[in-house]
Amino acid sequence: MKSRSAWLVYIVLRLLFFVVPFAALMLIGWTWWLSAIVATLAAVSLSVIFLNRQRSAASESIYAWRTRDRTEDDVVEDEAVDAVDAVEPHAADGSSGSAAPSAPREQ
């Protein structure tokens, strides 16, 4: 499945999983906010149960899009940063990891 069609199928099904219960609940007279809450819960549940393949295809297309311009140098650099982070978790952001109190201010 092409990445564009994978995204399109995933988005349309997610919208349908929300719109159909929302419209049905509104037609039977529920308030809009309660219909929205119940429809959202139904949409999340249905998408977790039935859209695993589409979600995987969409996430693979995101990964392919994000890594399409990476060079070998970028890969080696990322591996080096990950190796340093494995040894010293706070080395990459420059923090020492400790919350040392600051010196008292003179008045």
Side-chain angles (χ1 to χ4, degrees):
M1 183 181 291
K2 293 181 180 179
S3 65
R4 183 168 294 210
S5 63
W7 272 100
L8 187 60
V9 168
Y10 185 66
I11 290 170
V12 167
L13 289 174
R14 290 284 312 258
L15 285 172
L16 283 174
F17 284 168
F18 174 80
V19 170
V20 170
F22 182 75
L25 293 172
M26 290 297 292
L27 287 174
I28 62 172
W30 286 31
T31 59
W32 69 268
W33 58 270
L34 189 57
S35 297
I37 291 172
V38 172
T40 300
L41 293 174
V44 168
S45 300
L46 291 170
S47 67
V48 167
I49 294 169
F50 295 114
L51 298 182
N52 188 38
R53 185 173 28 126
Q54 289 83 0
R55 185 174 40 256
S56 294
S59 66
E60 287 172 7
S61 71
I62 291 172
Y63 179 78
W65 177 72
R66 294 282 296 158
T67 59
R68 72 178 185 270
D69 295 330
R70 292 185 72 192
T71 63
E72 184 63 32
D73 185 49
D74 293 333
V75 173
V76 170
E77 182 179 330
D78 290 345
E79 289 172 354
V81 169
D82 290 341
V84 169
D85 283 344
V87 175
E88 298 178 38
H90 297 288
D93 62 6
S95 66
S96 63
S98 64
S102 60
R105 294 185 353 198
E106 292 184 24
Q107 294 184 0

